[in-house]
Amino acid sequence: MPTPEWLKGRLEVCCNEEAFIHESSYVDEPCQIGHGSSIMHFSHIMANSVIGSHCQIGQHVTIHPGVFIGNNVRILNNTLLNSGVIIEDDVYCGPSTIVAPLKYIRGEAANISTIQPTLIRRNASIGANTTVAAGFTLGQFSFIEAGSVVDRNVPDFALVYGNPLQFAGWRCECGQLIKFTIANITSCSRCGKRYSRQSDTEIVQLRSGSTPHDSNIQSRSTIRKPQSDY
Ligand SMILES: [Zn+2]
């Protein structure tokens, strides 16, 4: 699996001396592990995976071949990441997160060419015991409550929960709930960051002093949920 564009040039060649790998864990070769990262007890990182710098990989974590993980990512105990998972920087994966490899799977050996990439964008936060079906995107700063089953795309800043997945609102970068009334512009009550509501399924963050039509919008979700029944 080729290295994604956003990871190229950002990772150093496997540097076990600068990364902590507990003696009870296995890291198959070749892998790349950035400096300052730690892999705790009884974990298994399979070949052709890339882990960025300053990541924390907990106990009993299994990372299948061809997983790409950015920098400053926390992956807590018992998490399973299957092939095809791409995780950007500053993501939090709570304990026992499962990311599935395929939408449709049988007991017979899977054809690796059918693996569907799952993209978890920067600063997303995934609660404990969440299952993510293959082939979806979790938007930046999205917040998945514990125990959810993610079977569709999640917009940037969205707060979702449950099974079937329910939309519960929006969260600011700082974690505070964002409230929209009639107006489509609002500010976070904690940090003051401003947001514009583009539709029921999309908000964007505005730079200080900008209007929704300015070109300096900080981020824009390109994710659309495939169904209208959150
Ligand atoms: Zn805020």
Side-chain angles (χ1 to χ4, degrees), residues 99-217:
V99 183
L102 300 167
K103 268 186 181 171
Y104 309 106
I105 191 165
R106 301 285 191 198
E108 60 204 320
N111 182 346
I112 196 158
S113 67
T114 64
I115 286 175
Q116 293 164 302
T118 299
L119 175 60
I120 301 174
R121 301 212 54 207
R122 67 184 183 96
N123 292 89
S125 182
I126 304 173
N129 287 306
T130 290
T131 298
V132 181
F136 297 105
T137 297
L138 281 59
Q140 56 186 320
F141 293 99
S142 61
F143 196 98
I144 319 298
E145 291 276 17
S148 299
V149 175
V150 179
D151 59 354
R152 65 201 71 184
N153 294 326
V154 178
D156 297 349
F157 305 105
L159 168 63
V160 296
Y161 70 99
N163 179 22
L165 201 65
Q166 305 286 311
F167 173 75
W170 305 101
R171 276 199 192 276
C172 177
E173 268 190 36
C174 72
Q176 182 75 1
L177 279 171
I178 304 169
K179 295 264 173 43
F180 287 93
T181 53
I182 297 173
N184 284 324
I185 302 288
T186 193
S187 298
C188 172
S189 60
R190 180 191 290 171
C191 72
K193 287 191 171 67
R194 298 167 67 234
Y195 294 85
S196 169
R197 180 169 56 187
Q198 308 293 296
S199 70
D200 287 344
T201 59
E202 180 184 6
I203 67 170
V204 295
Q205 190 183 86
L206 304 173
R207 289 190 191 279
S208 172
S210 68
T211 70
H213 302 296
D214 284 352
S215 58
N216 60 345
I217 288 174

Side-chain angles (χ1 to χ4, degrees), residues 38-41 43 56-61 75-78:
S38 58
I39 298 169
M40 303 309 290
H41 308 58
S43 291
Q56 297 176 29
I57 311 292
Q59 298 184 24
H60 296 279
V61 171
I75 297 178
L76 271 63
N77 298 355
N78 306 311

